[in-house]
Amino acid sequence: MHQYQAQIHWQRGDQQFTDNLYSRAHDWQFDGGLTVPASSSPLSVPLPMSVAANVDPEEALVAAASSCHMLVFLWLACKQGFTVDSYTDKAVGTMAKNEFGKLAITRISLRPEIAFSGVRLPNAEELANLHHQSHEECYIANSLRAEIVVEAA
């Protein structure tokens, strides 16, 4: 068993609170020492109560799914003798009502663009299999109810 920790810190400061016009800006602190400025999404809480430049939980969820898929993909490609030179994903999460009528990230579309080099290059079937195996082994995908699809280029 592994455990992962994050510390979230928000402070009201001198803002009113009961008027619902308080800042949603806060920090995420991780065990390695990194602090990430976070906020609600401006799509959920309008500006100026949100901070558009900060990471929001919805973006973080999409990034986590994309990152996990990529890390498993790289590991599998290496094990199968493929050399990956670069991997770029322009992942998109879609928020909609789920089967319970609640707003949720219901779909995450991964759109990886991968450059290979070397003697052994994957054919279309091998590439599709790498993505399928990556999805099956991704801890984050295994933790979510949202549909995760790979729309590889």
Side-chain angles (χ1 to χ4, degrees):
M1 179 176 84
H2 299 111
Q3 291 186 331
Y4 301 90
Q5 298 178 1
Q7 181 176 321
I8 309 304
H9 179 72
W10 173 87
Q11 190 165 333
R12 180 175 62 86
D14 61 358
Q15 303 172 86
Q16 286 292 321
F17 185 77
T18 55
D19 62 2
N20 202 32
L21 298 176
Y22 58 90
S23 174
R24 276 35 171 213
H26 58 283
D27 290 325
W28 296 346
Q29 297 172 339
F30 297 96
D31 59 1
L34 180 66
T35 298
V36 175
S39 176
S40 57
S41 168
L43 298 174
S44 298
V45 178
L47 300 171
M49 285 80 68
S50 292
V51 180
N54 292 10
V55 175
D56 62 63
E58 297 86 353
E59 292 170 326
L61 179 67
V62 172
S66 174
S67 180
C68 185
H69 184 90
M70 178 200 70
L71 291 168
V72 175
F73 184 96
L74 295 174
W75 173 68
L76 290 170
C78 177
K79 279 180 47 176
Q80 294 180 29
F82 300 114
T83 299
V84 178
D85 290 336
S86 67
Y87 185 113
T88 302
D89 187 1
K90 297 177 183 169
V92 175
T94 302
M95 185 177 288
K97 288 195 175 180
N98 65 14
E99 67 271 21
F100 305 109
K102 302 289 186 179
L103 280 177
I105 300 293
T106 57
R107 180 182 174 103
I108 298 173
S109 299
L110 307 180
R111 298 178 174 140
E113 296 178 12
I114 306 157
F116 295 91
S117 67
V119 177
R120 185 157 158 38
L121 302 175
N123 62 33
E125 183 180 337
E126 290 169 319
L127 186 59
N129 189 43
L130 280 167
H131 282 299
H132 176 75
Q133 287 180 304
S134 297
H135 178 71
E136 291 294 314
E137 297 297 324
C138 172
Y139 311 144
I140 303 300
N142 289 334
S143 302
L144 299 177
R145 290 193 308 194
E147 176 186 21
I148 300 175
V149 295
V150 178
E151 300 171 351

